[in-house]
Amino acid sequence: MKSLIGLTCVIALFAVVLTAEEKKDEEEVKVFKRLIPADVLRDFPGMCFASTRCATVEPGKTWDLTPFCGRSTCVVSEDNPPRLLELVEDCGPLPLANDKCKLDTEKTNKTAPFPYCCPKFTCEDGAKLEYPEVGKPEQSEAGEKDKKN
């Protein structure tokens, strides 16, 4: 009986340690969220179409975006009339190229559930990752010339 109690305590302690590690990893991952118009099939007007699953999804339900690292939720807007939207959560844009920061292939698990599948980077001391500004389209030089003419 004592060994059973001891085993139970060890399992409980292990579960606490794993939960703490998961929370630590989750805190390190930035989750980017955006609302986009949902894909809707004409035969299923009140449901979102999840192209990564080739399935319809009811409002309020979530699906993973495998083979991509992310998840989406079907949402009804507060507009009048209401529209279906897709709340996309993913890892966001990749950082700008930096010779002092590398993708950490040992810590990155592309097959893990979201958000643990997000890429992890390791930088040399003093180096910091920089990310492109989200929402601002980058313009080419040709685009700038067209504006001037």
Side-chain angles (χ1 to χ4, degrees):
M1 187 65 161
K2 286 183 181 179
S3 63
L4 184 58
I5 293 171
L7 181 60
T8 304
C9 289
V10 169
I11 291 172
L13 180 61
F14 185 69
V16 169
V17 170
L18 279 180
T19 303
E21 282 298 312
E22 286 177 1
K23 285 185 180 180
K24 179 184 170 196
D25 287 345
E26 192 171 333
E27 289 171 6
E28 293 174 7
V29 177
K30 290 182 181 178
V31 174
F32 288 79
K33 297 180 182 185
R34 62 190 182 281
L35 275 173
I36 61 173
D39 291 328
V40 179
L41 300 177
R42 69 173 177 238
D43 292 338
F44 301 92
M47 302 176 85
C48 296
F49 177 67
S51 60
T52 56
R53 296 175 84 195
C54 197
T56 54
V57 178
E58 297 173 1
K61 301 288 183 182
T62 298
W63 68 96
D64 66 297
L65 297 176
T66 304
F68 309 103
C69 184
R71 68 177 164 231
S72 283
T73 303
C74 185
V75 178
V76 178
S77 75
E78 295 180 2
D79 299 342
N80 192 7
R83 300 178 302 139
L84 286 175
L85 302 172
E86 183 177 336
L87 173 63
V88 180
E89 298 174 272
D90 62 21
C91 308
L94 288 174
L96 300 173
N98 184 336
D99 292 337
K100 296 183 180 192
C101 296
K102 302 290 180 205
L103 175 66
D104 192 330
T105 55
E106 289 182 22
K107 289 183 181 177
T108 300
N109 181 354
K110 293 180 181 181
T111 60
F114 180 78
Y116 307 109
C117 52
C118 289
K120 294 178 177 56
F121 295 86
T122 302
C123 294
E124 295 175 13
D125 287 341
K128 195 171 185 181
L129 288 173
E130 293 181 35
Y131 291 86
E133 285 190 44
V134 179
K136 277 191 168 184
E138 292 187 29
Q139 298 200 349
S140 66
E141 287 182 31
E144 288 296 319
K145 289 177 186 173
D146 291 342
K147 279 185 175 179
K148 291 177 185 175
N149 293 333

